[in-house]
Amino acid sequence: MKLYYKPGACSMASHIILNELEVDFKLERVDTDKGQTETGGNYSEINSKGYVPALAVDNQKILTENPAILEYLADLKPQLELAPSIGTWQRYQLREQLAYLSSELHKSFSPFFSGAELTATQRQAAQTKIGKRLAPIEAQLSAGSLYLQGDTFSVADAYAFVIINWSQFIGFSLTPWPAINAFWQRVNARASVRKAMHTEGLVSEQVTS
């Protein structure tokens, strides 16, 4: 398998899960502004949407969109319980979480990565929206569970971590969200996460699995 990624972007969720699986895979960095891979390839020939992630399963099969890729990866090793069993109520709850993360929380950060300079008013409005999208997650974690699916780490946690981690780059404090802050620190300490962050150049320390 080969994961097409951009450092620190949402593709890091799939990178984390690939590390959790401990399977052989390759990485290829993508410059989405230029539409070019690090080996000089035209990324639009791999993913016509132009953004990451894309997972090449073999020469003919390309999977895109985080929710689909994360479910696919989880099902490669069901014994790791990175996703509930197909057909169970818990599996549909996972899909609910992935949909919310993708369509609501992820998109709420978009103004900060649009390339446009935000006015103070625009910044405040964007941060207010992020807060509203974090509120249901804070409530869920405040009920006592360690992760979004209870006390078992899942693909939804990898995706949520990556999005929440963007707060570190835009000056958004997690202090008002103590349960989310604790969740972020908890996931941040996982070997699979530290390894992905090191490989993508976000942290300097070496990590061994």
Side-chain angles (χ1 to χ4, degrees):
M1 289 183 290
K2 179 188 287 187
L3 178 67
Y4 292 88
Y5 80 104
K6 185 176 182 178
C10 63
S11 51
M12 191 166 71
S14 296
H15 189 176
I16 291 169
I17 296 304
L18 283 163
N19 287 342
E20 289 277 342
L21 295 174
E22 297 184 335
V23 294
D24 291 330
F25 66 94
K26 297 179 180 178
L27 293 169
E28 185 150 358
R29 184 170 175 165
V30 178
D31 185 330
T32 53
D33 293 328
K34 295 180 179 179
Q36 192 174 56
T37 71
E38 63 182 314
T39 59
N42 181 354
Y43 186 57
S44 67
E45 295 178 358
I46 297 159
N47 181 6
S48 61
K49 301 166 188 172
Y51 51 76
V52 293
L55 182 71
V57 179
D58 57 33
N59 291 332
Q60 287 77 38
K61 295 179 181 178
I62 302 289
L63 196 59
T64 65
E65 304 298 335
N66 259 319
I69 293 173
L70 292 171
E71 281 201 61
Y72 171 79
L73 292 175
D75 289 337
L76 293 179
K77 288 191 176 182
Q79 67 273 23
L80 296 183
E81 298 183 333
L82 293 169
S85 300
I86 294 173
T88 62
W89 177 251
Q90 289 76 17
R91 183 60 168 248
Y92 296 114
Q93 288 181 311
L94 174 72
R95 290 176 180 169
E96 177 184 24
Q97 289 168 340
L98 291 174
Y100 181 78
L101 292 170
S102 178
S103 66
E104 300 298 331
L105 185 60
H106 184 155
K107 295 301 181 184
S108 69
F109 280 84
S110 296
F112 295 97
F113 301 115
S114 66
E117 187 71 26
L118 299 179
T119 66
T121 300
Q122 290 171 329
R123 174 176 287 274
Q124 183 58 52
Q127 290 186 337
T128 297
K129 186 172 183 179
I130 290 172
K132 289 180 178 179
R133 297 297 181 260
L134 288 175
I137 299 175
E138 176 72 14
Q140 180 181 354
L141 293 172
S142 294
S145 62
L146 295 176
Y147 301 106
L148 298 181
Q149 287 263 286
D151 292 335
T152 301
F153 179 82
S154 76
V155 294
D157 300 303
Y159 194 6
F161 168 81
V162 172
I163 300 171
I164 293 166
N165 194 56
W166 294 339
S167 65
Q168 308 303 301
F169 303 100
I170 67 169
F172 183 88
S173 175
L174 295 177
T175 301
W177 316 99
I180 288 177
N181 192 28
F183 166 85
W184 173 76
Q185 293 183 52
R186 189 178 304 119
V187 178
N188 190 42
R190 293 181 74 88
S192 61
V193 174
R194 304 309 296 174
K195 186 175 182 180
M197 294 181 75
H198 171 71
T199 300
E200 297 192 14
L202 302 184
V203 296
S204 58
E205 69 266 29
Q206 292 285 341
V207 177
T208 57
S209 56

